[in-house]
Amino acid sequence: MLFRSAVACPKNGGVYYWDPNGGFSTLQQITTAPLYNRGIFVSMPQQILVAYGSTTQVDIGIEQDPLLVSWSDQGDFANWIPSSTTQAGSYRIPTGSEIVGGLQGPQNGLIWTDLDLWSMNYIGYPLVFGFTKVGSNCGLIAMRAAGTLNSSVWWMGRDNFYVASPGGIPTPIPCSVWDTVFQNLNTMQIEEICCAVNPLFNEVSWF
């Protein structure tokens, strides 16, 4: 099952897919994927579906772990069972209280907790992915507050704007309106913050 379908995940919901060859069918839930997730992205070029803030098995039930990263088998978003014949697996981020967001960067996957930034690099079986903390105290303020432009990743944290070039460490962006932005945030609405990238004019904006 290759990624010729559209996949989606509502916040703290299941993973869904839509097959363009399915006529007028609607989105179908992938029942073999974790039942609850904060979000998803596709690890490229491996074609592995990555979910974060996912559910894990506990005794006879499940619970959503805000720091758990889970991923499917390569090229098969319906297979999430780790084994010697699949590349499915999981990893729990050891710092922070929750994963806020994640995306496929220019060279590797990136995972932000409320505190730090982690790099997710494909290394093959048996570990599949290697995880490295590349920045401290530069966590993401909201799920959609990060974007990529010119091979760099740009995001908004709780106390600053940041940029990281490929292989580089997160660097605060000088901001002449820092006081206006960060001292007037409506903390009840920070989940609405989103990043907008405009390659035509080489601009990154936050709303």
Side-chain angles (χ1 to χ4, degrees):
M1 185 184 298
L2 298 177
F3 285 100
R4 297 192 181 98
S5 304
V7 290
C9 176
K11 182 181 176 182
N12 296 323
V15 181
Y16 296 81
Y17 76 98
W18 177 75
D19 186 349
N21 298 316
F24 294 101
S25 63
T26 58
L27 286 167
Q28 304 294 314
Q29 185 172 5
I30 304 171
T31 56
T32 51
L35 293 180
Y36 303 100
N37 310 273
R38 185 174 177 89
I40 60 173
F41 65 89
V42 178
S43 175
M44 296 298 292
Q46 295 81 31
Q47 290 193 328
I48 293 176
L49 185 59
V50 178
Y52 51 89
S54 300
T55 47
T56 183
Q57 189 73 31
V58 178
D59 297 326
I60 60 172
I62 59 172
E63 69 176 9
Q64 189 173 5
D65 186 336
L67 289 169
L68 184 66
V69 182
S70 299
W71 56 87
S72 72
D73 189 16
Q74 186 171 19
D76 185 357
F77 55 63
N79 190 344
W80 295 73
I81 300 175
S83 74
S84 60
T85 59
T86 74
Q87 297 204 49
S90 64
Y91 178 83
R92 191 175 193 274
I93 301 294
T95 62
S97 59
E98 66 174 352
I99 296 174
V100 178
L103 58 76
Q104 174 61 42
Q107 294 184 336
N108 51 272
L110 295 172
I111 300 287
W112 286 269
T113 68
D114 52 331
L115 296 180
D116 308 316
L117 171 62
W118 288 74
S119 173
M120 181 177 177
N121 297 285
Y122 180 75
I123 57 177
Y125 185 82
L127 297 179
V128 185
F129 288 103
F131 290 80
T132 305
K133 184 166 71 171
V134 294
S136 300
N137 301 315
C138 59
L140 193 63
I141 194 169
M143 182 188 299
R144 294 177 292 275
T148 59
L149 178 68
N150 295 335
S151 299
S152 295
V153 180
W154 309 72
W155 71 96
M156 181 177 176
R158 287 184 174 269
D159 60 359
N160 224 323
F161 295 101
Y162 297 90
V163 62
S165 58
I169 62 174
T171 303
I173 303 171
C175 180
S176 60
V177 293
W178 187 95
D179 290 345
T180 302
V181 174
F182 290 97
Q183 293 188 356
N184 291 282
L185 280 176
N186 181 349
T187 57
M188 300 297 293
Q189 298 292 331
I190 59 174
E191 283 293 328
E192 305 303 320
I193 296 173
C194 62
C195 176
V197 176
N198 187 342
L200 183 62
F201 292 96
N202 201 35
E203 294 177 343
V204 182
S205 305
W206 285 268
F207 296 91

